[in-house]
Amino acid sequence: MDFKVAVIIPNYNHSAFLKRRIESVLNQTYPAFEVVILDDCSTDDSRTIIEQFRHHPLVDTIIYNDHNSKSPFKQWLKGIAATTAPFIWIAESDDYCEPAFLETMMACMMANTANVLAYCGSNVVNEENTILDFERWGKELNLTKWEKDYQNNGADEIRDYLAYKNIIVNASAVIFKRAAFETISPALFINLKYAGDWMIWVNLLNQGAISYVAEKLNYFRIHHTSTRSLKSINDEILRIKEYFTIINYIQNTFELKPETSKHKWIIDEWISKLPLFSAKNILIFLVPPFSLKYKRMFYAALYNKLKQRLRP
């Protein structure tokens, strides 16, 4: 079997981080990979940085867009189409990794041919590469799951975890099979701005198994332009709507009836966005884009939060 990996580096205005990202890819200890670099019509000096690597023997293709695609997932598709390698790594242009990342992930894929996806632990870093003290993303689902390596079948991973939250929080930490990805209709994710990767992971895992390596070989960067940073009110509304698009898709596709209480993290996330709202638009905050059962959870959580603040 061919175990070559296509490394897709989709970039947009990440010149401050791009050189480190590309170098961290080219320094991988795994011997069989090729690199596709895409730039989505950046307005910074990304092109200058990319051109420094044009003649590197591992850089197979460089693609510049004449117009911004306005979709990270269009860039994923374009990059994957530019190569034939059977394994894919989407190496986001603002992240970076340890030299052993690819070798470690591919060992998982080789060890279990049923795997459609393998991922590892991540350090969260800021713009200065300082490791941040972030709480475990999936702690409300399982306090200890991500402290050690695990193997699981895809159906169980969807039912127990992905039906509630995108536990695979950073694409840069993931290797997946091209053959499984190519069965997924782009219509499911192409128009999603914030949750398209969640949709992709679910549809990949519907076809096979998953491996996780607890060692933190990936560095996931949080900064003012990253998808997880605070956005405008309209963007935050869109983010919440996309969460529920995925949740409803999972429930309908897999005929699941998940525990609503395990979606409380969405309520908490919405409440945390209160600083975005002025007195003029506070009504938008108070009538969030939730169905009735989640609105009830929101008002209960908001009441408890206010009660705590008013307590002497």
Side-chain angles (χ1 to χ4, degrees):
M1 183 177 179
D2 183 4
F3 288 100
K4 192 172 186 178
V5 180
V7 186
I8 314 300
I9 306 178
N11 175 70
Y12 177 63
N13 282 349
H14 283 158
S15 62
F17 316 118
L18 187 54
K19 189 172 189 289
R20 180 163 194 168
R21 161 40 94 203
I22 296 173
E23 288 177 343
S24 77
V25 168
L26 297 177
N27 289 332
Q28 291 299 295
T29 57
Y30 187 74
F33 68 94
E34 61 186 13
V35 180
V36 178
I37 304 174
L38 304 99
D39 185 77
D40 202 7
C41 200
S42 292
T43 57
D44 61 9
D45 62 345
S46 290
R47 185 182 287 248
T48 300
I49 294 167
I50 291 168
E51 286 302 314
Q52 295 173 20
F53 299 92
R54 177 168 289 279
H55 301 295
H56 193 285
L58 291 172
V59 176
D60 186 73
T61 305
I62 295 173
I63 301 171
Y64 294 112
N65 282 357
D66 294 328
H67 303 282
N68 184 262
S69 71
K70 302 186 185 304
S71 168
F73 303 107
K74 286 181 181 177
Q75 292 297 90
W76 287 29
L77 288 170
K78 184 179 284 190
I80 291 169
T83 177
T84 59
F87 294 90
I88 306 295
W89 173 22
I90 306 293
E92 301 284 7
S93 57
D94 50 347
D95 302 326
Y96 60 101
C97 60
E98 294 290 345
F101 169 80
L102 202 50
E103 184 174 358
T104 305
M105 293 297 95
M106 286 306 296
C108 293
M109 300 302 280
M110 293 177 189
N112 186 349
T113 57
N115 280 346
V116 290
L117 184 156
Y119 75 114
C120 71
S122 296
N123 285 303
V124 179
V125 298
N126 63 14
E127 297 184 28
E128 288 75 41
N129 304 316
T130 302
I131 295 176
L132 305 178
D133 185 20
F134 265 57
E135 294 185 67
R136 182 75 60 186
W137 173 246
K139 68 172 186 176
E140 68 274 28
L141 301 178
N142 189 316
L143 283 171
T144 60
K145 177 180 174 71
W146 292 277
E147 293 178 0
K148 57 185 179 182
D149 299 357
Y150 74 80
Q151 176 78 29
N152 200 7
N153 69 70
D156 288 346
E157 196 79 357
I158 293 167
R159 183 196 64 223
D160 296 336
Y161 299 101
L162 284 158
Y164 298 105
K165 195 172 194 177
N166 183 8
I167 56 164
I168 307 172
V169 70
N170 182 217
S172 292
V174 179
I175 300 293
F176 58 86
K177 281 184 178 175
R178 167 194 286 276
F181 177 81
E182 288 179 340
T183 69
I184 305 170
S185 169
L188 288 173
F189 60 81
I190 198 69
N191 294 316
L192 298 174
K193 183 176 181 180
Y194 296 109
D197 54 347
W198 189 358
M199 180 70 84
I200 290 168
W201 309 147
V202 167
N203 281 278
L204 284 171
L205 290 175
N206 191 33
Q207 304 175 63
I210 182 172
S211 285
Y212 171 75
V213 173
E215 186 178 2
K216 295 180 178 180
L217 300 170
N218 179 56
Y219 294 83
F220 172 30
R221 194 183 304 277
I222 298 288
H223 53 93
H224 71 283
T225 63
S226 61
T227 58
R228 294 204 174 271
S229 62
L230 198 66
K231 306 296 181 185
S232 69
I233 292 173
N234 287 338
D235 278 340
E236 292 303 335
I237 290 171
L238 177 61
R239 190 201 301 268
I240 295 295
K241 287 181 176 179
E242 288 191 8
Y243 290 162
F244 284 111
T245 294
I246 310 298
I247 289 166
N248 292 333
Y249 172 84
I250 294 170
Q251 291 180 13
N252 294 332
T253 303
F254 301 99
E255 298 181 347
L256 298 176
K257 294 184 177 179
E259 301 169 45
T260 303
S261 61
K262 290 186 178 180
H263 291 135
K264 186 178 177 294
W265 65 273
I266 302 177
I267 309 301
D268 294 337
E269 184 173 305
W270 181 256
I271 291 174
S272 74
K273 304 298 167 48
L274 179 58
L276 279 176
F277 296 86
S278 65
K280 185 171 65 175
N281 54 33
I282 194 64
L283 188 60
I284 298 173
F285 173 78
L286 293 173
V287 187
F290 304 155
S291 64
L292 182 58
K293 63 183 176 181
Y294 291 102
K295 277 191 173 78
R296 289 177 182 142
M297 289 173 61
F298 166 69
Y299 294 128
L302 187 60
Y303 171 76
N304 289 331
K305 198 169 190 69
L306 291 172
K307 189 167 66 172
Q308 289 174 4
R309 287 192 176 184
L310 295 172
R311 186 176 296 158

